Amino acid sequence: MATSLVELRVLDGANLYFSRAAVKLTLDVSALVDAPAPAAKAYGQAIGLGATRPGRIGSGFRQRFAIRVVGHVVRRIAREAGIGRIGVRVRPESDVRRLVVAFPWAHEGRARALGAAIVEVLDAFGSEDLGELIGAVGERVRDEPLGNPPPTLRPKVPVVAVTGTNGKTTTSRMIAHIGRAAGLHVGWSSTDGVYFDGELVKYGDFSGPSGAGQVLSQPGIQLAVTETARGGILRRGIGIAYNDVSVVTNVSADHLGLGGIDTVDQLAEVKAVITQITRPRGWCVVNGDDPRTFAMRLGSPAKCWVFSRDPDSPSIRTVLDEGGRATTVLDGFVTVLDNARDPEPLLKVVDVPMTLSGLSHYNVENTLAAASAALGLGLPRAAVTEGLSTFAPNENNPGRMNMYSLRDFTVVIDLAHNEAGLEALLEIMNGVRPPGGRLLLALGSPGDRADDMVAALGAMGARATDRIAIGHKSDYLRGRPPAELEAVFREGAASVGVDDVPAFPTELAAAQALVAEARPGDVVAVMSLQDRASLDGWLRSEGATVDTPETLKSKVERAQH
């Protein structure tokens, strides 16, 4: 017999549904949604739901009826099992025959047994004696061995949790760098690995709960900075019980269509989880220029520290009136605002190398976010200014806005993995292009991105540059044939009148082809996810030099004349 269970997932910490460990069941409720109304109504009455109107077969009304039914089943079984009051969240999915139900857990064995019992009662749709079945499965749950408690960590050192669609790795690294400037032993986790005091401890994507565990286990650690990505929150929850400062850089379209997240609003809901477990005496640092991010302060127990490039932003006025703080750009200075004191200038924006003399708007925002988080932790102002002014793109931020000089032209390596990231990369390319220089771009995408996003990248790149090529991310195709990705990229490019789009098997090969075409004054950029190290090695072997902050400043000034 077909079962209603699609997936049972044990979430070890705060998650989309609760601020603590939960079990998430994804259910196929086709039997209930496709049943004739009398049968659906009879099932509802048999489980003790009372008067109901199931709605038409296969309709949204019927799905909402199924939500009521499933929630009631969970509570009935829990009551029979002696669990008493239980938090239950039941959510619809875009498919009317799918639901997600979640409930918190304190002991894994009993929680899994409750999940299995829920499925058994739903699978018994159409059976008689449902009351007896609920009693029997409840008794079985009560007799199940408790099992292990959640492995959620309770940190003994300050923790900064950073999330967002773009900028979270750069912001995490900046905060960690400031912490080290303050003389602390700092561990941080990100999509690149786990680091302790600047040394790589473990390579790999550690933006999930295991990263937090790896960081907090470092002997002698005094500050932890954890990059917290969407996937980790959805798959396992957050690995720590609370943080002292949460930072949300922004939310834009990325990874949509994966893990039941289909809209930017749903993505924002996932990322808001870190703000909901910030300690009340801590700070929730949010982007005041991003409405979805700014709204997250309302669900956080912490005080709000907003950042915005615009000192007259309504978000700054709102937060200051609420008793919070703000970081902005005032007369060219990174400045902290607080209604109870005078504005506090920290340093000039042009003295922060990551901002490219203020040219990179995204990195100005990352700078404001990092300064807010560091000050929210209580780190000294001197450490903040030192950390920001000594954070060099190539040395401290590998893979993000890394710039080289080669034979009188510029090469940029940047992650730029979505539309917002490409927009930021194009801004940088234009910002260092001298008059008469051309823009050459090697673009690419992981294989699991939606077609409309891949096509949008193709159109954006083709419209804004003089030459584009596709450089495949062979380790990240995720089962998708390269030719299929190429077709979508070319479709996007063709929509803006560009038909000559060569493709190469790797990012490195695409970069080598464009560098071979480059002339003095040109800017070559690579959207690099996997070949950063080999790109760096190859460029150096060709005689490229890493741009210093002074070199970058002179390039920006040259481009503006």
Side-chain angles (χ1 to χ4, degrees):
M1 185 181 86
T3 177
S4 57
L5 180 64
V6 176
E7 181 187 53
L8 186 155
R9 186 173 285 278
V10 177
L11 305 171
D12 293 336
N15 53 79
L16 183 56
Y17 313 100
F18 295 95
S19 293
R20 53 201 168 112
V23 169
K24 171 194 170 191
L25 297 170
T26 304
L27 300 169
D28 182 333
V29 288
S30 297
L32 195 54
V33 171
D34 293 333
K41 191 166 186 172
Y43 182 83
Q45 289 172 338
I47 62 169
L49 197 56
T52 59
R53 288 183 294 173
R56 283 187 302 108
I57 289 173
S59 66
F61 286 100
R62 179 63 69 87
Q63 187 186 39
R64 296 286 163 169
F65 165 76
I67 288 173
R68 282 191 66 200
V69 165
V70 170
H72 192 76
V73 165
V74 177
R75 293 184 183 92
R76 276 283 308 273
I77 297 172
R79 196 160 58 242
E80 294 289 342
I83 296 173
R85 292 175 64 85
I86 185 171
V88 183
R89 303 275 189 273
V90 190
R91 295 187 171 206
E93 292 214 330
S94 52
D95 181 345
V96 295
R97 290 164 182 79
R98 287 278 185 99
L99 295 178
V100 168
V101 59
F103 53 88
W105 65 277
H107 298 94
E108 186 173 351
R110 190 162 290 181
R112 285 184 178 275
L114 176 56
I118 294 163
V119 172
E120 187 173 341
V121 172
L122 293 174
D123 287 347
F125 179 82
S127 304
E128 297 178 5
D129 303 324
L130 277 172
E132 284 183 26
L133 176 61
I134 289 172
V137 297
E139 192 172 322
R140 201 183 313 146
V141 172
R142 188 190 310 124
D143 294 340
E144 184 74 22
L146 290 177
N148 294 323
T152 317
L153 300 170
R154 305 189 73 80
K156 294 180 172 58
V157 298
V159 174
V160 183
V162 183
T163 195
T165 302
N166 293 87
K168 53 184 177 291
T169 299
T170 296
T171 303
S172 299
R173 288 170 171 168
M174 290 177 108
I175 296 166
H177 189 72
I178 293 168
R180 294 192 67 206
L184 300 178
H185 292 297
V186 185
W188 67 97
S189 58
S190 70
T191 49
D192 287 342
V194 176
Y195 292 78
F196 184 65
D197 283 349
E199 298 297 321
L200 180 65
V201 175
K202 203 157 191 178
Y203 176 75
D205 185 349
F206 282 94
S207 57
S210 62
Q214 294 274 350
V215 168
L216 290 167
S217 68
Q218 298 303 313
I221 189 169
Q222 295 172 299
L223 170 64
V225 184
T226 63
E227 182 181 328
T228 310
R230 164 210 63 91
I233 298 173
L234 289 173
R235 286 190 292 270
R236 284 188 52 198
I238 293 176
I240 54 176
Y242 46 77
N243 57 63
D244 298 271
V245 175
S246 53
V247 182
V248 190
T249 57
N250 49 60
V251 181
S252 61
D254 194 19
H255 299 285
L256 299 184
L258 301 174
I261 304 302
D262 300 311
T263 68
V264 180
D265 288 328
Q266 291 173 340
L267 185 61
E269 190 180 18
V270 176
K271 294 186 180 294
V273 171
I274 68 162
T275 67
Q276 293 160 8
I277 60 168
T278 305
R279 287 175 154 178
R281 65 173 183 269
W283 290 96
C284 166
V285 177
V286 293
N287 185 341
D289 299 328
D290 182 326
R292 292 182 179 91
T293 304
F294 185 55
M296 294 178 191
R297 78 193 194 287
L298 302 173
S300 178
K303 299 165 288 186
C304 181
W305 195 314
V306 67
F307 64 92
S308 169
R309 288 185 286 118
D310 176 11
D312 295 320
S313 166
S315 63
I316 288 183
R317 289 198 294 271
T318 299
V319 169
L320 293 180
D321 288 344
E322 291 171 349
R325 293 180 187 167
T327 309
T328 187
V329 178
L330 199 60
D331 295 336
F333 284 82
V334 175
T335 305
V336 176
L337 302 178
D338 183 331
N339 275 351
R341 63 191 73 175
D342 291 332
E344 183 180 6
L346 299 177
L347 76 170
K348 289 183 177 179
V349 171
V350 295
D351 291 335
V352 181
M354 276 305 299
T355 69
L356 273 187
S357 298
L359 171 77
S360 172
H361 293 156
Y362 280 92
N363 279 310
V364 171
E365 291 179 359
N366 294 337
T367 299
L368 299 176
S372 305
L375 293 169
L377 279 172
L379 299 183
R381 169 184 164 168
V384 176
T385 56
E386 181 189 340
L388 293 177
S389 60
T390 59
F391 187 84
N394 289 56
E395 180 185 344
N396 301 116
N397 205 23
R400 270 69 174 182
M401 207 182 82
N402 298 164
M403 304 186 73
Y404 303 77
S405 294
L406 175 63
R407 297 193 290 275
D408 293 326
F409 58 85
T410 297
V411 180
V412 190
I413 300 175
D414 190 77
L415 179 66
H417 61 297
N418 53 33
E419 292 167 66
L422 179 54
E423 182 184 333
L425 176 57
L426 292 168
E427 177 183 58
I428 292 162
M429 292 173 74
N430 277 299
V432 297
R433 170 174 60 171
R438 300 176 304 155
L439 303 183
L440 296 82
L441 173 68
L443 52 79
S445 169
D448 58 359
R449 300 303 196 267
D451 281 2
D452 56 352
M453 182 181 142
V454 176
L457 291 174
M460 282 177 70
R463 185 190 299 113
T465 66
D466 300 284
R467 180 78 165 132
I468 61 167
I470 299 163
H472 285 300
K473 306 173 190 305
S474 51
D475 294 346
Y476 294 88
L477 291 172
R478 290 161 182 156
R480 193 170 192 179
E484 190 180 300
L485 266 180
E486 289 169 26
V488 182
F489 271 123
R490 288 179 176 136
E491 181 186 322
S495 72
V496 295
V498 176
D499 296 316
D500 181 16
V501 185
F504 298 88
T506 64
E507 296 166 351
L508 177 59
Q512 290 170 332
L514 293 180
V515 164
E517 293 184 31
R519 302 192 293 256
D522 288 352
V523 181
V524 179
V526 189
M527 295 170 64
S528 176
L529 177 61
Q530 72 177 45
D531 289 350
R532 179 189 61 77
S534 54
L535 279 162
D536 177 81
W538 176 74
L539 285 168
R540 290 172 189 266
S541 74
E542 290 288 303
T545 55
V546 173
D547 286 353
T548 64
E550 293 74 25
T551 306
L552 291 175
K553 201 169 184 177
S554 66
K555 284 185 176 182
V556 172
E557 289 169 354
R558 181 178 159 207
Q560 290 172 346
H561 289 91

